[in-house]
Amino acid sequence: MVGGGPGSFIGPVHRMAAELDGTIRLVAGAFSRDPAKSAKAAEAWGVAPDRVYADHVAMIAGETARDDGAELVAVVTPNHLHFAVSAAALQAGLHVISDKPATRNLAEALELERIVAASGRRYALTYTYTGYPMVREARQIVRRGDLGPIRKVVVEYAQGWLSRPIEQGGDAQAMWRADPARSGVGGCSGDIGVHAFNLAEFITGLEVERLCPDLASVVPGRALDDDCNVLLRFGGGARGVLIASQISAGARNGLNIKVYGEKGGLSWSHERHTELTIDWLDGPTQTLHAASGYLGAAAQAGSRIPTGHPEGFIEAFANIYRDFAGAISSGRANDLTPGIAAGVRGMAFVERAVAASRTGQGWVDLNAGDA
């Protein structure tokens, strides 16, 4: 693991998720630029002192020289390091699983896509919400055609924790997210907007072709966007709306998606993540529950305990790790695991939205393959 030391939110989540099912074990790391913090993390997580490294370069060199060296690198740093760490690991023959977004800009994402292809190694992104069982059930329902042709998609991700300029007061999590040098071209758009974008494409199987963005830096003095409102047009003719905000005061982690087809619509909310609601045009409303026997195979495989016993964020992360470990072991790709193509599309979304909003350009093509 690179990153994730004391003070990190997402690092411990990655560690718990990776080890939950016994398919992956944390054996080495460069957890912090501060040697004392790195050593503290290693002691807490049972990593041998001789496998704690000063940086990712030393870690990759040390582990590839060992007979029992690490096979997989988890990248849990701020965005500006995602490309360098991922590229170095892949080129050294290691598999990579990275926190999102893939990189800090589209040019880096496209270069990383080339490196992944040339390496012959596997690469995955932890778009967390794709790991929830009822998100996977929604995907199956839509792609099976139960709702008919998709007409409209509405996805919202609302947070309120950046309603004040807490980065100016020394909040570590806010400081790097508000810093273009570490966060990249997008603020809210790159932090949570990419989750909303990915979720819409993951469930529907449709790709966004055009977008019309209105992004803002609402809090005075903030360099990156903290509020995003984007109209979407998908291939096949469906329209969509994406809202991502970190200045929605009072909102906690309000991720919601609604998908409407010709025959009915479905809705999923992160705050009631064990349920999936389907509203039929000519039938009664249905509520489906996680871990139930009537669900599809992908949804059932995502639950570890009986229905009515809620699982959550760690388990969703763990599903992505478990699927990725299975792909590495079997040599067969798992289409439920977001890869570099999803990373490129996410960065294209952020970069196009930021640029078009700044110029008031209106509708623009996504053009994911063109930096």
Side-chain angles (χ1 to χ4, degrees):
M1 181 182 287
V2 180
S8 169
F9 154 60
I10 210 66
V13 171
H14 276 267
R15 183 194 64 81
M16 288 185 282
E19 297 190 326
L20 183 62
D21 294 302
T23 57
I24 297 172
R25 186 165 58 91
L26 178 62
V27 296
F31 304 115
S32 173
R33 290 173 296 180
D34 182 335
K37 288 184 176 180
S38 205
K40 183 178 180 181
E43 182 179 7
W45 295 342
V47 175
D50 66 336
R51 300 182 79 172
V52 183
Y53 300 90
D55 55 33
H56 73 277
V57 176
M59 187 193 77
I60 291 169
E63 290 300 307
T64 53
R66 297 176 63 108
D67 292 335
D68 62 346
E71 300 173 72
L72 165 64
V73 174
V75 184
V76 302
T77 65
N79 303 349
H80 69 296
L81 295 173
H82 288 188
F83 173 80
V85 178
S86 297
L90 289 162
Q91 290 168 335
L94 302 173
H95 303 287
V96 171
I97 188 165
S98 174
D99 204 55
K100 57 81 223 155
T103 55
R104 59 181 171 179
N105 57 48
L106 180 56
E108 285 186 348
L110 290 168
E111 177 61 20
L112 186 59
E113 186 176 43
R114 288 188 281 271
I115 291 170
V116 171
S119 72
R121 301 292 88 184
R122 295 197 177 274
Y123 173 90
L125 280 163
T126 51
Y127 278 117
T128 319
Y129 305 100
T130 65
Y132 278 94
M134 301 315 285
V135 166
R136 295 181 171 190
E137 184 69 10
R139 171 189 170 100
Q140 179 171 313
I141 288 169
V142 172
R143 297 188 177 207
R144 196 167 57 208
D146 293 9
L147 302 182
I150 300 306
R151 293 174 167 176
K152 188 175 184 68
V153 181
V154 180
V155 59
E156 177 187 15
Y157 200 157
Q159 297 178 340
W161 73 290
L162 291 178
S163 291
R164 297 189 179 97
I166 58 174
E167 66 272 20
Q168 298 175 22
D171 184 287
Q173 294 298 320
M175 286 173 66
W176 78 257
R177 285 174 170 84
D179 178 6
R182 288 182 285 175
S183 183
V185 294
C188 173
S189 56
D191 192 22
I192 63 174
V194 290
H195 273 305
F197 175 83
N198 173 260
L199 191 64
E201 292 198 335
F202 180 82
I203 289 177
T204 65
L206 303 175
E207 291 190 345
V208 173
E209 293 183 344
R210 290 174 60 77
L211 53 90
C212 181
D214 179 18
L215 277 57
S217 300
V218 174
V219 173
R222 188 165 284 162
L224 298 174
D225 59 89
D226 52 22
D227 187 69
C228 312
N229 304 278
V230 187
L231 299 178
L232 308 172
R233 289 183 184 170
F234 294 84
R239 262 64 172 177
V241 179
L242 184 152
I243 300 169
S245 177
Q246 291 177 313
I247 51 85
S248 295
R252 292 178 289 276
N253 199 55
L255 176 60
N256 306 278
I257 186 167
K258 297 181 179 180
V259 179
Y260 297 98
E262 187 178 290
K263 301 176 183 178
L266 61 76
S267 59
W268 179 82
S269 167
H270 185 238
E271 293 188 351
R272 297 180 66 88
H273 60 82
T274 61
E275 299 177 2
L276 179 66
T277 301
I278 308 175
D279 294 298
W280 298 107
L281 179 63
D282 295 310
T285 294
Q286 290 180 297
T287 301
L288 309 181
H289 297 272
S292 297
Y294 51 73
L295 300 177
Q300 290 200 49
S303 295
R304 293 166 181 77
I305 52 179
T307 187
H309 297 75
E311 296 179 282
F313 194 70
I314 302 297
E315 291 83 358
F317 247 101
N319 287 338
I320 297 172
Y321 266 98
R322 184 176 62 187
D323 290 346
F324 191 53
I328 291 172
S329 299
S330 69
R332 295 189 298 272
N334 186 320
D335 66 358
L336 293 173
T337 306
I340 188 58
V344 169
R345 291 193 60 77
M347 288 315 306
F349 164 75
V350 173
E351 200 154 290
R352 303 303 185 221
V354 170
S357 182
R358 283 176 179 168
T359 60
Q361 194 171 346
W363 285 98
V364 294
D365 293 337
L366 186 67
N367 291 331
D370 181 10

